Amino acid sequence: MKHFLRVVSQFLVFLYCKCLWRGLKFVVRKLTGRCELQRICYNNKQGARRTHKIESSLRYSKNESLQSALSVHPDKVEKTIDDIMALKRINPDTNPQLGISLQACLLQIVGYRSLVAEVEKLRREPYDCENNEHEDMLLKLWKELCPDTPLTGRISKQWCEIGFQGSDPKTDFRGMGLLGLHNLLYFAEHDKATALQMLSDSLQPKHKITHRPPSEINKPDWEQKNIDKAIGYSFAIVGINITDLAYSLLVSGALKTHLYNVAPELPSLMHFQQTFCYLMQEFHAFWVEEDPSDIMEFNRVRSKFHRRVLKQLKNPDMALCPHFTASDLTLVNL
């Protein structure tokens, strides 16, 4: 019986999508004088709300030319918009803003796809100690995080001081490849003060202070809370884990909401790295808030943090880091 009801419901959904919905769109166009793409652009503000709807409209269109617009090369977006306007019989002279809006949306859509491919390429590229570029990036990471401490050798226990598991960091990059190194270095270079503070906090053992000097008694609640809750985690390893979290948000499409709201046109690797920096800071605060007993609770805290971010991204107006301080670009929630 359950199988029969499921088949019936699927048939009704199919019937609605194929017949009733298209018939309704035809009626609405006749009444308003505007096609679906026009209605979306004119009735939704710039950002994820508009781009999500444009993407859905093109994907589920019965016209193959409209469907294929989602996979064009960024260089061909302008011509594709001209073709769409011609196909929909929209005069660009009387609807100049429509072409601009559609182009911005399509650039975001195809740019997101290109970004996924770029990030995936970095993730799949293993760290190669014979590659001078890889080695230079790793050594630069040390210099950014420990500027006053010379590294005694390429293979050294000193790497544990910035949160790697052993004497050779290359083994820790196996899961995320070069993507993990790129993100850590970007964070250390572009938001150095925050990265250094997080590294310093992460080296503190877990403890509770029961007797405080008089100078600390009258400190604000949040500051007293930080005194009570020392951190105690491996900075570099956590950075690689948060890279994995950011990657999963990207490839699942969950990050579209954020990137469509902060990237006026093409989302780039820089936007992804800025998002990583933000997630690192937020996870750090979340870790302190959760007050785990030790590092063995990391997976629980990470999973809870992941669920919180996913919930935030369900809001179509959400921009995780609309004004991130480390940004080389001005990010705004458009």
Side-chain angles (χ1 to χ4, degrees):
M1 184 64 181
K2 289 183 179 180
H3 177 69
F4 173 74
L5 291 175
R6 184 162 55 250
V7 171
V8 171
S9 64
Q10 289 175 346
F11 174 74
L12 291 176
V13 170
F14 172 81
L15 184 66
Y16 173 78
C17 293
K18 290 294 183 181
C19 302
L20 298 180
W21 175 241
R22 286 178 179 170
L24 180 62
K25 288 201 298 182
F26 176 79
V27 172
V28 172
R29 173 157 191 173
K30 289 297 182 181
L31 292 174
T32 63
R34 293 176 175 176
C35 69
E36 184 178 42
L37 295 177
Q38 287 175 297
R39 296 195 300 273
I40 292 172
C41 286
Y42 293 147
N43 297 333
N44 295 274
K45 66 178 183 178
Q46 186 175 358
R49 284 184 181 272
R50 179 192 291 174
T51 304
H52 275 310
K53 290 179 180 180
I54 291 294
E55 187 173 11
S56 178
S57 177
L58 294 174
R59 176 170 289 112
Y60 296 110
S61 172
K62 63 181 179 180
N63 190 296
E64 292 184 1
S65 296
L66 294 180
Q67 293 176 14
S68 64
L70 296 174
S71 57
V72 299
H73 189 276
D75 292 342
K76 296 184 178 180
V77 164
E78 188 173 351
K79 181 182 183 305
T80 300
I81 296 303
D82 291 339
D83 293 342
I84 290 175
M85 300 278 278
L87 180 65
K88 291 293 185 178
R89 298 177 183 175
I90 301 172
N91 188 338
D93 296 328
T94 57
N95 296 270
Q97 187 58 42
L98 177 63
I100 295 172
S101 299
L102 282 176
Q103 182 170 326
C105 290
L106 197 55
L107 281 170
Q108 287 184 321
I109 293 166
V110 300
Y112 191 94
R113 190 189 71 248
S114 298
L115 175 59
V116 172
E118 185 178 5
V119 167
E120 180 65 23
K121 182 179 179 181
L122 285 173
R123 188 189 72 86
R124 288 180 175 274
E125 185 174 356
Y127 184 91
D128 182 4
C129 57
E130 301 297 324
N131 187 311
N132 290 332
E133 289 186 8
H134 297 186
E135 289 285 281
D136 288 344
M137 286 178 64
L138 183 59
L139 294 175
K140 191 171 184 179
L141 177 64
W142 174 268
K143 291 177 182 178
E144 292 291 340
L145 295 176
C146 300
D148 301 323
T149 306
L151 189 64
T152 57
R154 168 61 181 79
I155 308 297
S156 171
K157 284 291 184 181
Q158 286 179 286
W159 290 111
C160 297
E161 296 176 16
I162 61 173
F164 287 102
Q165 290 181 323
S167 300
D168 191 351
K170 76 172 185 179
T171 58
D172 294 325
F173 292 121
R174 284 176 294 191
M176 285 288 106
L178 278 191
L179 183 63
L181 178 55
H182 271 272
N183 280 352
L184 283 169
L185 183 56
Y186 185 92
F187 187 29
E189 287 183 319
H190 291 79
D191 203 8
K192 189 170 185 175
T194 304
L196 290 175
Q197 184 60 58
M198 285 179 58
L199 174 60
S200 176
D201 290 345
S202 72
L203 295 172
Q204 302 301 317
K206 180 69 182 179
H207 66 280
K208 292 285 184 179
I209 297 177
T210 55
H211 301 289
R212 297 178 186 154
S215 61
E216 293 180 350
I217 293 176
N218 295 322
K219 286 188 175 183
D221 290 343
W222 67 270
E223 200 167 341
Q224 292 187 26
K225 192 174 184 181
N226 285 341
I227 293 171
D228 283 344
K229 296 183 178 182
I231 314 304
Y233 61 73
S234 300
F235 176 82
I237 295 300
V238 167
I240 294 170
N241 266 278
I242 297 303
T243 293
D244 178 65
L245 188 151
Y247 168 78
S248 68
L249 291 173
L250 181 73
V251 297
S252 69
L255 212 53
K256 284 182 178 181
T257 299
H258 163 66
L259 291 178
Y260 288 169
N261 280 326
V262 300
E265 292 185 343
L266 288 168
S268 67
L269 181 62
M270 183 181 295
H271 290 106
F272 177 76
Q273 291 174 320
Q274 290 163 347
T275 305
F276 163 78
C277 295
Y278 170 82
L279 291 173
M280 279 289 284
Q281 295 184 38
E282 287 298 296
F283 180 80
H284 178 81
F286 190 73
W287 178 265
V288 175
E289 180 184 323
E290 284 293 300
D291 192 19
S293 58
D294 54 42
I295 195 63
M296 298 305 292
E297 291 195 68
F298 178 81
N299 287 336
R300 175 190 68 79
V301 176
R302 181 189 183 278
S303 296
K304 189 173 180 180
F305 178 71
H306 190 183
R307 291 194 298 271
R308 189 178 78 164
V309 175
L310 284 173
K311 184 178 180 180
Q312 291 174 328
L313 290 171
K314 288 182 180 180
N315 177 2
D317 296 320
M318 185 64 190
L320 292 176
C321 45
H323 304 291
F324 184 56
T325 56
S327 173
D328 287 334
L329 300 174
T330 300
L331 299 185
V332 291
N333 189 1
L334 298 171

